[in-house]
Coordinates of all heavy atoms in Angstrom, one line a residue:
M1398 N -129.7 -81.6 33.3 CA -131.0 -82.3 33.3 C -132.2 -81.4 33.4 O -132.2 -80.5 34.3 CB -131.0 -83.3 34.5 CG -132.0 -84.4 34.4 SD -131.9 -85.4 35.8 CE -130.8 -86.7 35.3
S1399 N -133.2 -81.6 32.6 CA -134.3 -80.7 32.6 C -135.2 -81.1 33.8 O -135.1 -82.1 34.3 CB -135.1 -80.8 31.3 OG -135.8 -82.0 31.2
G1400 N -136.1 -80.1 34.0 CA -137.1 -80.4 35.1 C -137.9 -81.6 34.9 O -138.2 -82.4 35.8
M1401 N -138.3 -81.8 33.6 CA -139.1 -82.9 33.2 C -138.4 -84.3 33.5 O -139.0 -85.2 34.0 CB -139.4 -82.8 31.7 CG -140.4 -83.8 31.2 SD -142.1 -83.3 31.7 CE -143.1 -84.2 30.5
D1402 N -137.1 -84.3 33.1 CA -136.3 -85.5 33.4 C -136.2 -85.8 34.9 O -136.3 -87.0 35.3 CB -134.9 -85.4 32.7 CG -135.0 -85.6 31.2 OD1 -136.0 -86.2 30.8 OD2 -134.0 -85.3 30.5
E1403 N -136.0 -84.7 35.6 CA -135.8 -84.9 37.0 C -137.1 -85.5 37.6 O -137.0 -86.3 38.5 CB -135.5 -83.5 37.7 CG -134.0 -83.4 38.0 CD -133.7 -82.0 38.4 OE1 -134.4 -81.5 39.3 OE2 -132.7 -81.4 37.9
R1404 N -138.2 -84.9 37.1 CA -139.5 -85.4 37.7 C -139.7 -86.9 37.3 O -140.1 -87.7 38.2 CB -140.6 -84.5 37.0 CG -141.9 -84.8 37.7 CD -143.0 -83.8 37.2 NE -144.3 -84.5 37.1 CZ -145.0 -84.9 38.2 NH1 -144.5 -84.7 39.4 NH2 -146.2 -85.5 38.1
R1405 N -139.3 -87.2 36.1 CA -139.5 -88.6 35.7 C -138.6 -89.6 36.5 O -139.0 -90.6 36.9 CB -139.2 -88.8 34.2 CG -139.9 -90.0 33.6 CD -139.6 -90.1 32.1 NE -138.2 -90.5 31.9 CZ -137.6 -90.4 30.7 NH1 -138.3 -90.0 29.6 NH2 -136.4 -90.8 30.5
K1406 N -137.4 -89.1 36.7 CA -136.4 -89.9 37.5 C -137.0 -90.1 38.9 O -136.9 -91.1 39.5 CB -135.1 -89.2 37.5 CG -134.0 -90.1 38.0 CD -132.6 -89.4 37.8 CE -131.5 -90.3 38.2 NZ -131.5 -90.6 39.6
G1407 N -137.5 -89.0 39.4 CA -138.1 -89.0 40.8 C -139.2 -90.0 40.9 O -139.3 -90.8 41.8
L1408 N -140.1 -90.1 39.8 CA -141.2 -91.0 39.8 C -140.7 -92.4 39.7 O -141.2 -93.3 40.3 CB -142.1 -90.7 38.6 CG -143.1 -89.5 38.8 CD1 -143.8 -89.2 37.5 CD2 -144.1 -89.7 39.9
E1409 N -139.6 -92.6 38.9 CA -139.1 -94.0 38.7 C -138.5 -94.5 40.0 O -138.8 -95.6 40.4 CB -138.0 -93.9 37.7 CG -138.5 -94.2 36.3 CD -137.4 -94.0 35.2 OE1 -136.2 -94.1 35.6 OE2 -137.7 -93.8 34.1
E1410 N -137.8 -93.6 40.7 CA -137.2 -93.9 42.0 C -138.3 -94.3 43.0 O -138.2 -95.3 43.8 CB -136.3 -92.8 42.5 CG -134.9 -92.9 42.0 CD -134.1 -91.7 42.3 OE1 -134.5 -90.9 43.1 OE2 -133.0 -91.6 41.8
E1411 N -139.4 -93.5 42.9 CA -140.5 -93.7 43.9 C -141.1 -95.1 43.6 O -141.4 -95.9 44.5 CB -141.5 -92.6 43.7 CG -142.5 -92.5 44.9 CD -143.7 -91.7 44.6 OE1 -143.5 -90.5 44.3 OE2 -144.8 -92.2 44.6
Y1412 N -141.3 -95.3 42.2 CA -141.9 -96.6 41.8 C -141.0 -97.8 42.3 O -141.6 -98.7 42.9 CB -142.0 -96.6 40.3 CG -142.5 -97.9 39.7 CD1 -143.8 -98.2 39.8 CD2 -141.6 -98.8 39.2 CE1 -144.3 -99.4 39.3 CE2 -142.0 -100.0 38.7 CZ -143.4 -100.3 38.7 OH -143.8 -101.5 38.2
F1413 N -139.7 -97.7 42.1 CA -138.9 -98.8 42.5 C -138.8 -98.9 44.0 O -138.7 -100.0 44.6 CB -137.5 -98.7 41.8 CG -137.5 -99.1 40.4 CD1 -137.2 -98.2 39.4 CD2 -137.8 -100.4 40.0 CE1 -137.3 -98.5 38.1 CE2 -137.9 -100.7 38.7 CZ -137.6 -99.8 37.7
H1414 N -138.8 -97.8 44.6 CA -138.8 -97.8 46.1 C -140.0 -98.5 46.6 O -140.0 -99.3 47.5 CB -138.8 -96.3 46.6 CG -138.8 -96.3 48.1 ND1 -137.7 -96.6 48.9 CD2 -139.8 -95.9 49.0 CE1 -138.0 -96.4 50.2 NE2 -139.3 -96.0 50.3
R1415 N -141.2 -98.2 46.0 CA -142.5 -98.8 46.4 C -142.4 -100.3 46.1 O -142.9 -101.1 46.9 CB -143.6 -98.1 45.7 CG -144.9 -98.2 46.5 CD -145.9 -97.2 46.0 NE -146.1 -97.2 44.6 CZ -146.3 -96.2 43.8 NH1 -146.3 -95.0 44.3 NH2 -146.5 -96.3 42.6
K1416 N -141.9 -100.6 45.0 CA -141.8 -102.1 44.6 C -140.9 -102.8 45.6 O -141.2 -103.9 46.0 CB -141.2 -102.2 43.2 CG -142.3 -102.0 42.1 CD -143.2 -103.2 41.9 CE -144.5 -102.7 41.4 NZ -145.6 -103.7 41.5
N1417 N -139.8 -102.2 46.0 CA -138.9 -102.8 46.9 C -139.6 -103.0 48.3 O -139.5 -104.0 48.9 CB -137.7 -101.9 47.2 CG -136.6 -102.2 46.1 OD1 -136.7 -103.2 45.4 ND2 -135.7 -101.2 45.9
Q1418 N -140.3 -101.9 48.7 CA -141.1 -102.0 49.9 C -142.1 -103.1 49.9 O -142.2 -103.9 50.9 CB -141.8 -100.7 50.2 CG -140.9 -99.6 50.6 CD -140.2 -99.9 52.0 OE1 -139.0 -100.0 52.0 NE2 -140.9 -99.9 53.0
E1419 N -142.8 -103.3 48.8 CA -143.8 -104.3 48.7 C -143.1 -105.7 48.8 O -143.6 -106.6 49.5 CB -144.5 -104.2 47.3 CG -145.6 -103.3 47.3 CD -146.2 -103.0 45.9 OE1 -146.0 -103.9 45.0 OE2 -146.8 -102.0 45.7
A1420 N -142.0 -105.9 48.1 CA -141.2 -107.1 48.1 C -140.8 -107.4 49.6 O -140.9 -108.6 50.0 CB -140.0 -107.1 47.2
I1421 N -140.3 -106.4 50.2 CA -139.8 -106.6 51.6 C -141.0 -106.9 52.5 O -140.9 -107.9 53.4 CB -139.1 -105.3 52.1 CG1 -137.8 -105.1 51.4 CG2 -138.9 -105.3 53.6 CD1 -137.2 -103.7 51.5
E1422 N -142.1 -106.3 52.3 CA -143.3 -106.6 53.2 C -143.8 -108.0 52.9 O -144.1 -108.7 53.9 CB -144.4 -105.6 52.8 CG -144.2 -104.2 53.4 CD -144.0 -104.2 54.9 OE1 -144.8 -104.9 55.6 OE2 -143.1 -103.4 55.3
K1423 N -143.8 -108.4 51.7 CA -144.2 -109.8 51.3 C -143.2 -110.8 52.0 O -143.7 -111.8 52.5 CB -144.2 -110.0 49.8 CG -145.5 -109.7 49.2 CD -145.5 -110.0 47.7 CE -146.7 -109.3 47.0 NZ -146.4 -109.2 45.6
L1424 N -141.9 -110.5 51.9 CA -141.0 -111.4 52.5 C -141.1 -111.5 54.0 O -141.1 -112.5 54.6 CB -139.6 -110.9 52.2 CG -138.4 -111.8 52.4 CD1 -138.5 -113.0 51.4 CD2 -137.1 -111.1 52.2
R1425 N -141.4 -110.3 54.6 CA -141.6 -110.2 56.1 C -142.8 -111.0 56.5 O -142.8 -111.8 57.4 CB -141.8 -108.8 56.5 CG -140.5 -108.0 56.7 CD -140.7 -106.8 57.6 NE -139.5 -106.0 57.7 CZ -139.4 -104.7 57.4 NH1 -140.5 -104.1 57.1 NH2 -138.3 -104.1 57.5
A1426 N -143.9 -110.9 55.7 CA -145.1 -111.6 56.0 C -144.9 -113.1 55.9 O -145.3 -113.9 56.7 CB -146.2 -111.2 55.0
K1427 N -144.1 -113.5 54.9 CA -143.8 -114.9 54.7 C -143.0 -115.5 55.8 O -143.2 -116.5 56.4 CB -142.9 -115.0 53.4 CG -143.5 -116.1 52.4 CD -142.5 -116.1 51.2 CE -143.1 -116.9 50.1 NZ -142.2 -116.8 48.9
M1428 N -142.0 -114.7 56.3 CA -141.1 -115.1 57.4 C -141.9 -115.2 58.7 O -141.7 -116.0 59.5 CB -140.0 -114.1 57.5 CG -138.9 -114.3 56.5 SD -137.7 -112.9 56.4 CE -136.9 -113.1 58.0
K1429 N -142.9 -114.2 58.8 CA -143.7 -114.2 60.0 C -144.5 -115.5 60.1 O -144.6 -116.1 61.1 CB -144.6 -113.0 60.0 CG -145.2 -112.6 61.3 CD -145.9 -111.3 61.3 CE -146.7 -111.1 62.6 NZ -148.1 -111.1 62.4
V1430 N -145.1 -115.9 59.0 CA -145.9 -117.1 58.9 C -145.1 -118.3 59.3 O -145.5 -119.2 60.0 CB -146.6 -117.3 57.5 CG1 -147.1 -118.7 57.3 CG2 -147.6 -116.2 57.3
A1431 N -143.9 -118.3 58.7 CA -142.9 -119.5 59.0 C -142.6 -119.5 60.4 O -142.5 -120.6 61.0 CB -141.7 -119.3 58.1
E1432 N -142.3 -118.3 61.0 CA -141.9 -118.3 62.4 C -143.1 -118.7 63.3 O -142.9 -119.4 64.3 CB -141.5 -116.8 62.8 CG -140.0 -116.6 62.5 CD -139.7 -115.1 62.6 OE1 -140.4 -114.4 63.4 OE2 -138.7 -114.7 62.0
E1433 N -144.3 -118.2 63.0 CA -145.4 -118.6 63.7 C -145.7 -120.1 63.7 O -146.0 -120.7 64.7 CB -146.7 -117.8 63.3 CG -146.7 -116.4 63.8 CD -147.8 -115.6 63.2 OE1 -148.6 -116.1 62.3 OE2 -147.9 -114.4 63.6
A1434 N -145.5 -120.6 62.5 CA -145.7 -122.1 62.3 C -144.7 -122.8 63.1 O -145.0 -123.8 63.8 CB -145.6 -122.4 60.8
K1435 N -143.5 -122.3 63.1 CA -142.4 -123.0 63.9 C -142.7 -122.9 65.4 O -142.6 -123.9 66.1 CB -141.1 -122.3 63.6 CG -139.9 -123.2 63.7 CD -138.6 -122.4 63.4 CE -137.4 -123.1 63.9 NZ -136.2 -122.3 63.7
A1436 N -143.2 -121.7 65.8 CA -143.5 -121.5 67.2 C -144.7 -122.4 67.7 O -144.7 -122.9 68.8 CB -143.9 -120.1 67.5
A1437 N -145.6 -122.7 66.7 CA -146.8 -123.5 67.0 C -146.4 -125.0 66.9 O -147.3 -125.8 67.1 CB -147.9 -123.1 66.1
G1438 N -145.2 -125.3 66.5 CA -144.8 -126.7 66.4 C -145.2 -127.3 65.1 O -145.2 -128.5 64.9
I1439 N -145.6 -126.5 64.1 CA -146.0 -127.0 62.8 C -144.8 -127.1 61.9 O -144.1 -126.2 61.7 CB -147.1 -126.1 62.1 CG1 -148.3 -125.9 63.0 CG2 -147.5 -126.7 60.8 CD1 -149.2 -124.7 62.7
S1440 N -144.6 -128.3 61.4 CA -143.4 -128.5 60.5 C -143.8 -128.0 59.2 O -145.0 -127.8 58.9 CB -143.1 -130.0 60.5 OG -144.1 -130.7 59.8
S1441 N -142.9 -127.8 58.3 CA -143.2 -127.3 57.0 C -143.7 -128.4 56.1 O -144.0 -128.2 54.9 CB -141.9 -126.7 56.4 OG -140.8 -127.6 56.5
M1442 N -143.8 -129.6 56.7 CA -144.2 -130.8 55.9 C -145.7 -130.7 55.6 O -146.5 -130.2 56.4 CB -143.9 -132.1 56.6 CG -142.5 -132.5 56.4 SD -142.1 -133.9 57.5 CE -143.0 -135.1 56.7
K1443 N -146.1 -131.2 54.4 CA -147.5 -131.2 54.0 C -148.0 -132.6 54.1 O -147.3 -133.6 53.8 CB -147.6 -130.7 52.6 CG -147.4 -129.2 52.5 CD -148.5 -128.4 52.9 CE -148.2 -126.9 52.9 NZ -149.1 -126.1 53.8
C1444 N -149.3 -132.7 54.4 CA -150.0 -134.0 54.5 C -150.0 -134.6 53.1 O -150.5 -133.9 52.2 CB -151.4 -133.8 55.1 SG -152.3 -135.3 55.1
P1445 N -149.6 -135.8 52.9 CA -149.6 -136.5 51.6 C -151.1 -136.7 51.2 O -151.3 -137.0 50.0 CB -148.9 -137.8 51.8 CG -148.4 -137.8 53.2 CD -149.1 -136.7 54.0
R1446 N -152.0 -136.7 52.1 CA -153.4 -137.0 51.8 C -154.2 -135.8 51.4 O -154.9 -135.8 50.4 CB -154.1 -137.8 52.9 CG -155.4 -138.3 52.6 CD -156.2 -138.8 53.8 NE -155.6 -139.9 54.4 CZ -155.9 -140.2 55.7 NH1 -156.7 -139.5 56.4 NH2 -155.3 -141.3 56.2
C1447 N -154.1 -134.7 52.2 CA -155.0 -133.6 51.9 C -154.3 -132.3 51.8 O -154.9 -131.3 51.7 CB -156.0 -133.5 53.1 SG -155.4 -132.9 54.6
D1448 N -153.0 -132.3 51.9 CA -152.2 -131.0 51.7 C -152.3 -130.1 52.9 O -151.8 -129.0 52.9 CB -152.7 -130.3 50.5 CG -151.5 -129.6 49.8 OD1 -150.4 -130.2 49.8 OD2 -151.7 -128.5 49.3
G1449 N -152.8 -130.6 54.0 CA -152.8 -129.9 55.3 C -151.4 -129.8 55.9 O -150.5 -130.5 55.5
S1450 N -151.2 -129.0 56.9 CA -149.9 -128.9 57.6 C -149.8 -130.1 58.6 O -150.7 -130.4 59.3 CB -149.8 -127.6 58.3 OG -149.8 -126.5 57.4
L1451 N -148.6 -130.6 58.6 CA -148.4 -131.7 59.6 C -147.8 -131.1 60.8 O -146.9 -130.3 60.8 CB -147.4 -132.7 59.0 CG -147.9 -133.6 57.8 CD1 -146.8 -134.5 57.4 CD2 -149.2 -134.3 58.2
K1452 N -148.3 -131.5 61.9 CA -147.8 -131.0 63.2 C -147.1 -132.2 63.9 O -147.6 -133.3 64.0 CB -149.0 -130.6 64.1 CG -148.5 -129.9 65.4 CD -149.7 -129.3 66.1 CE -149.2 -128.6 67.4 NZ -150.1 -127.7 68.0
E1453 N -145.9 -131.9 64.3 CA -145.1 -132.9 65.0 C -145.5 -133.0 66.5 O -145.5 -132.0 67.2 CB -143.6 -132.5 64.9 CG -142.7 -133.7 64.8 CD -141.3 -133.3 64.3 OE1 -140.7 -132.5 65.1 OE2 -140.8 -133.8 63.3
S1454 N -145.8 -134.2 66.8 CA -146.2 -134.4 68.2 C -145.3 -135.5 68.8 O -144.8 -136.4 68.1 CB -147.7 -134.9 68.3 OG -148.5 -134.2 67.5
K1455 N -145.1 -135.4 70.1 CA -144.3 -136.4 70.7 C -145.1 -137.2 71.7 O -145.7 -136.6 72.6 CB -143.1 -135.7 71.5 CG -141.9 -136.6 71.7 CD -140.7 -135.9 72.3 CE -139.5 -136.7 72.3 NZ -138.4 -136.0 72.9
F1456 N -145.2 -138.5 71.5 CA -145.9 -139.4 72.4 C -145.0 -140.4 72.9 O -144.5 -141.2 72.2 CB -147.1 -140.0 71.7 CG -148.2 -139.0 71.4 CD1 -148.3 -138.3 70.3 CD2 -149.2 -138.8 72.4 CE1 -149.3 -137.4 70.0 CE2 -150.2 -137.9 72.2 CZ -150.3 -137.2 71.0
E1457 N -144.7 -140.3 74.2 CA -143.8 -141.3 74.8 C -142.5 -141.5 74.1 O -142.2 -142.6 73.7 CB -144.6 -142.7 75.0 CG -146.0 -142.4 75.5 CD -146.4 -143.5 76.5 OE1 -145.7 -144.4 76.7 OE2 -147.5 -143.2 77.1
E1458 N -141.9 -140.4 73.8 CA -140.6 -140.4 73.1 C -140.6 -140.7 71.6 O -139.6 -140.9 71.0 CB -139.5 -141.3 73.8 CG -139.3 -140.9 75.3 CD -139.0 -139.4 75.5 OE1 -138.1 -138.9 74.9 OE2 -139.7 -138.8 76.4
V1459 N -141.8 -141.0 71.1 CA -141.9 -141.3 69.6 C -142.5 -140.0 68.9 O -143.5 -139.5 69.3 CB -142.8 -142.5 69.4 CG1 -142.8 -142.8 67.9 CG2 -142.3 -143.7 70.2
L1460 N -141.7 -139.6 68.0 CA -142.2 -138.4 67.2 C -143.1 -138.8 66.1 O -142.7 -139.7 65.3 CB -141.0 -137.6 66.6 CG -140.3 -136.6 67.5 CD1 -139.1 -136.0 66.8 CD2 -141.3 -135.4 67.8
I1461 N -144.3 -138.3 66.0 CA -145.2 -138.6 65.0 C -145.7 -137.3 64.3 O -145.7 -136.3 65.0 CB -146.4 -139.4 65.5 CG1 -147.1 -138.7 66.6 CG2 -146.0 -140.8 65.9 CD1 -148.5 -139.3 67.0
D1462 N -146.1 -137.4 63.1 CA -146.7 -136.2 62.4 C -148.2 -136.4 62.3 O -148.6 -137.3 61.7 CB -146.0 -136.0 61.0 CG -144.6 -135.7 61.1 OD1 -144.2 -134.8 61.9 OD2 -143.8 -136.4 60.4
T1463 N -148.9 -135.4 62.8 CA -150.4 -135.5 62.7 C -150.8 -134.3 61.8 O -150.3 -133.2 61.9 CB -151.1 -135.4 64.1 OG1 -150.5 -134.3 64.8 CG2 -150.9 -136.7 64.9
C1464 N -151.8 -134.6 60.9 CA -152.3 -133.6 60.0 C -153.4 -132.8 60.8 O -154.3 -133.4 61.4 CB -152.9 -134.3 58.8 SG -153.7 -133.1 57.7
E1465 N -153.3 -131.5 60.7 CA -154.2 -130.6 61.3 C -155.6 -130.6 60.6 O -156.6 -130.3 61.3 CB -153.7 -129.2 61.4 CG -152.3 -129.1 62.0 CD -152.2 -127.9 62.9 OE1 -152.3 -126.8 62.4 OE2 -152.0 -128.2 64.1
K1466 N -155.6 -130.9 59.4 CA -156.8 -130.8 58.6 C -157.6 -132.1 58.6 O -158.8 -132.1 59.0 CB -156.4 -130.6 57.1 CG -157.2 -129.5 56.4 CD -156.5 -129.0 55.2 CE -157.4 -128.5 54.1 NZ -156.7 -128.2 52.9
C1467 N -157.0 -133.3 58.3 CA -157.7 -134.5 58.2 C -157.5 -135.4 59.4 O -158.1 -136.4 59.5 CB -157.4 -135.3 56.9 SG -155.8 -136.0 56.8
G1468 N -156.6 -135.0 60.3 CA -156.3 -135.8 61.5 C -155.5 -137.1 61.2 O -155.3 -137.9 62.1
G1469 N -154.9 -137.2 60.0 CA -154.1 -138.3 59.6 C -152.8 -138.3 60.4 O -152.3 -137.3 60.8
V1470 N -152.3 -139.5 60.7 CA -151.1 -139.6 61.5 C -150.0 -140.3 60.6 O -150.3 -141.3 60.0 CB -151.3 -140.5 62.8 CG1 -150.0 -140.7 63.5 CG2 -152.3 -139.9 63.7
W1471 N -148.9 -139.6 60.5 CA -147.8 -140.1 59.6 C -146.6 -140.4 60.4 O -146.2 -139.7 61.3 CB -147.5 -139.0 58.6 CG -148.8 -138.6 57.9 CD1 -149.5 -137.5 58.1 CD2 -149.5 -139.3 56.8 NE1 -150.6 -137.5 57.3 CE2 -150.6 -138.6 56.5 CE3 -149.2 -140.5 56.2 CZ2 -151.5 -139.0 55.5 CZ3 -150.1 -141.0 55.2 CH2 -151.3 -140.2 54.9
L1472 N -146.0 -141.5 60.1 CA -144.8 -142.0 60.8 C -143.7 -142.1 59.9 O -143.8 -142.5 58.7 CB -145.1 -143.3 61.5 CG -146.3 -143.4 62.5 CD1 -146.8 -144.8 62.6 CD2 -145.9 -142.9 63.8
D1473 N -142.5 -141.8 60.4 CA -141.3 -142.0 59.6 C -140.9 -143.4 59.8 O -141.4 -144.1 60.7 CB -140.2 -141.1 60.1 CG -140.5 -139.6 59.8 OD1 -141.2 -139.4 58.9 OD2 -139.9 -138.8 60.5
S1474 N -140.0 -143.9 58.9 CA -139.6 -145.3 59.0 C -139.0 -145.6 60.3 O -138.2 -144.8 60.9 CB -138.7 -145.7 57.9 OG -137.4 -145.0 58.1
G1475 N -139.4 -146.7 60.9 CA -138.9 -147.0 62.3 C -139.8 -146.6 63.4 O -139.7 -147.1 64.5
E1476 N -140.5 -145.5 63.1 CA -141.4 -145.0 64.2 C -142.6 -145.9 64.5 O -143.0 -146.0 65.6 CB -141.9 -143.6 63.8 CG -140.9 -142.5 63.9 CD -141.4 -141.2 63.5 OE1 -142.4 -141.1 62.8 OE2 -140.8 -140.2 63.9
L1477 N -143.0 -146.6 63.4 CA -144.2 -147.5 63.6 C -143.8 -148.7 64.5 O -144.5 -149.1 65.4 CB -144.6 -148.1 62.2 CG -145.8 -149.0 62.3 CD1 -147.1 -148.2 62.7 CD2 -146.1 -149.6 60.9
E1478 N -142.5 -149.1 64.4 CA -142.0 -150.2 65.3 C -142.0 -149.7 66.7 O -142.4 -150.4 67.6 CB -140.6 -150.5 64.9 CG -140.5 -151.4 63.6 CD -139.1 -151.6 63.2 OE1 -138.2 -151.6 64.0 OE2 -138.8 -151.9 62.0
Q1479 N -141.5 -148.4 66.9 CA -141.5 -147.9 68.2 C -142.9 -147.8 68.8 O -143.1 -148.0 70.0 CB -140.9 -146.5 68.2 CG -139.4 -146.5 67.9 CD -138.8 -145.1 68.0 OE1 -138.9 -144.4 69.0 NE2 -138.3 -144.6 66.9
V1480 N -143.8 -147.4 67.9 CA -145.2 -147.2 68.4 C -145.8 -148.5 68.8 O -146.4 -148.6 69.9 CB -146.1 -146.5 67.3 CG1 -147.5 -146.6 67.6 CG2 -145.7 -145.1 67.1
T1481 N -145.7 -149.5 67.9 CA -146.3 -150.8 68.2 C -145.6 -151.4 69.5 O -146.3 -152.1 70.2 CB -146.2 -151.8 67.0 OG1 -144.8 -151.7 66.6 CG2 -147.1 -151.4 65.9
R1482 N -144.3 -151.1 69.7 CA -143.6 -151.7 70.8 C -144.2 -151.1 72.1 O -144.2 -151.7 73.2 CB -142.1 -151.4 70.7 CG -141.3 -152.4 71.3 CD -139.8 -152.1 71.2 NE -139.4 -152.0 69.8 CZ -138.5 -151.1 69.4 NH1 -138.0 -150.2 70.2 NH2 -138.2 -151.1 68.1
R1483 N -144.7 -149.8 72.0 CA -145.2 -149.1 73.2 C -146.7 -149.2 73.3 O -147.3 -148.6 74.1 CB -144.8 -147.6 73.1 CG -143.3 -147.5 73.3 CD -142.9 -146.1 72.9 NE -141.5 -145.9 72.8 CZ -140.7 -145.6 73.9 NH1 -141.3 -145.3 75.0 NH2 -139.4 -145.5 73.8
E1484 N -147.3 -150.0 72.4 CA -148.8 -150.1 72.3 C -149.4 -150.7 73.6 O -150.5 -150.4 73.9 CB -149.2 -150.9 71.1 CG -150.6 -151.3 70.9 CD -151.6 -150.1 70.9 OE1 -151.1 -149.0 70.8 OE2 -152.8 -150.3 71.0
K1485 N -148.6 -151.4 74.3 CA -149.1 -152.1 75.6 C -150.0 -151.1 76.4 O -151.1 -151.5 76.8 CB -147.9 -152.5 76.4 CG -147.2 -153.8 75.9 CD -146.0 -154.1 76.8 CE -144.8 -154.6 76.1 NZ -143.6 -154.3 76.7
G1486 N -149.5 -149.9 76.6 CA -150.2 -148.9 77.4 C -151.5 -148.4 76.8 O -152.3 -147.8 77.5
G1487 N -151.6 -148.7 75.5 CA -152.8 -148.2 74.8 C -152.8 -146.7 74.5 O -153.9 -146.2 74.2
W1488 N -151.7 -146.1 74.6 CA -151.7 -144.6 74.3 C -152.0 -144.3 72.8 O -152.6 -143.3 72.5 CB -150.4 -144.0 74.7 CG -149.2 -144.5 73.8 CD1 -148.4 -145.5 74.1 CD2 -148.8 -143.9 72.6 NE1 -147.4 -145.6 73.1 CE2 -147.7 -144.7 72.2 CE3 -149.2 -142.9 71.8 CZ2 -147.0 -144.4 71.0 CZ3 -148.5 -142.6 70.6 CH2 -147.5 -143.4 70.2
F1489 N -151.7 -145.3 72.0 CA -151.9 -145.1 70.5 C -153.4 -145.1 70.2 O -153.9 -144.3 69.5 CB -151.2 -146.2 69.7 CG -151.0 -145.8 68.3 CD1 -150.4 -144.6 67.9 CD2 -151.5 -146.7 67.3 CE1 -150.3 -144.3 66.6 CE2 -151.4 -146.3 65.9 CZ -150.8 -145.1 65.6
S1490 N -154.1 -146.0 70.9 CA -155.6 -146.0 70.7 C -156.2 -144.7 71.3 O -157.2 -144.2 70.8 CB -156.2 -147.2 71.4 OG -155.2 -148.1 71.8
R1491 N -155.6 -144.3 72.4 CA -156.1 -143.0 73.1 C -156.0 -141.9 72.1 O -156.8 -141.0 72.0 CB -155.4 -142.8 74.4 CG -155.8 -143.6 75.5 CD -155.5 -143.0 76.9 NE -154.1 -142.6 77.0 CZ -153.2 -143.5 77.5 NH1 -153.5 -144.7 77.8 NH2 -151.9 -143.1 77.6
L1492 N -154.8 -141.9 71.4 CA -154.5 -140.8 70.4 C -155.6 -140.7 69.4 O -156.1 -139.7 69.0 CB -153.2 -141.1 69.8 CG -152.8 -140.2 68.6 CD1 -152.6 -138.7 69.0 CD2 -151.6 -140.7 67.9
W1493 N -156.1 -141.9 68.9 CA -157.1 -141.9 67.9 C -158.4 -141.5 68.4 O -159.2 -140.8 67.8 CB -157.2 -143.4 67.3 CG -156.1 -143.7 66.4 CD1 -155.0 -144.4 66.6 CD2 -155.9 -143.2 65.0 NE1 -154.2 -144.5 65.5 CE2 -154.7 -143.7 64.5 CE3 -156.7 -142.3 64.2 CZ2 -154.3 -143.4 63.3 CZ3 -156.3 -142.1 62.9 CH2 -155.0 -142.6 62.5
Q1494 N -158.7 -141.8 69.7 CA -159.9 -141.4 70.3 C -160.0 -139.9 70.5 O -161.0 -139.3 70.3 CB -160.1 -142.1 71.7 CG -160.7 -143.5 71.5 CD -160.4 -144.4 72.8 OE1 -160.1 -143.8 73.8 NE2 -160.5 -145.7 72.6
E1495 N -158.9 -139.3 70.8 CA -158.8 -137.9 71.0 C -159.1 -137.1 69.7 O -159.5 -136.0 69.7 CB -157.4 -137.5 71.4 CG -157.2 -137.6 72.9 CD -155.8 -137.5 73.4 OE1 -155.0 -136.9 72.6 OE2 -155.5 -138.0 74.4
K1496 N -158.8 -137.8 68.5 CA -159.0 -137.1 67.2 C -160.5 -137.1 66.8 O -160.8 -136.3 65.9 CB -158.2 -137.9 66.2 CG -156.7 -137.7 66.3 CD -156.3 -136.3 65.8 CE -154.9 -135.9 66.4 NZ -154.7 -134.5 66.2
E1497 N -161.3 -137.9 67.5 CA -162.7 -137.9 67.1 C -163.4 -136.6 67.4 O -163.2 -136.0 68.4 CB -163.4 -139.1 67.8 CG -162.8 -140.5 67.5 CD -162.9 -140.8 66.0 OE1 -164.0 -140.6 65.4 OE2 -162.0 -141.4 65.4
Ligands
ZN1886 ZN1 -154.3 -134.4 56.0

């Protein structure tokens, strides 16, 4: 192998090494964001209204998803029944007031 080829091979390896590093860094950054979101209690679900992140909150044993962006509250099937059943205490109205 000539010196020229060796040099080119070296550059190629460096190039691919750098590309790999970039890919790894990107993946790490992605994973970090996902981990942080998880730690903050943000689910990977997106708000159907504004595309904001939905945050899972627990109110009196009922899990609800609230949008961090528009403040929308999303309920899974069956959850609305649980919410209305517990409405007596007025916590649901308090939740809305807190969002103002
Ligand atoms: Zn939203």
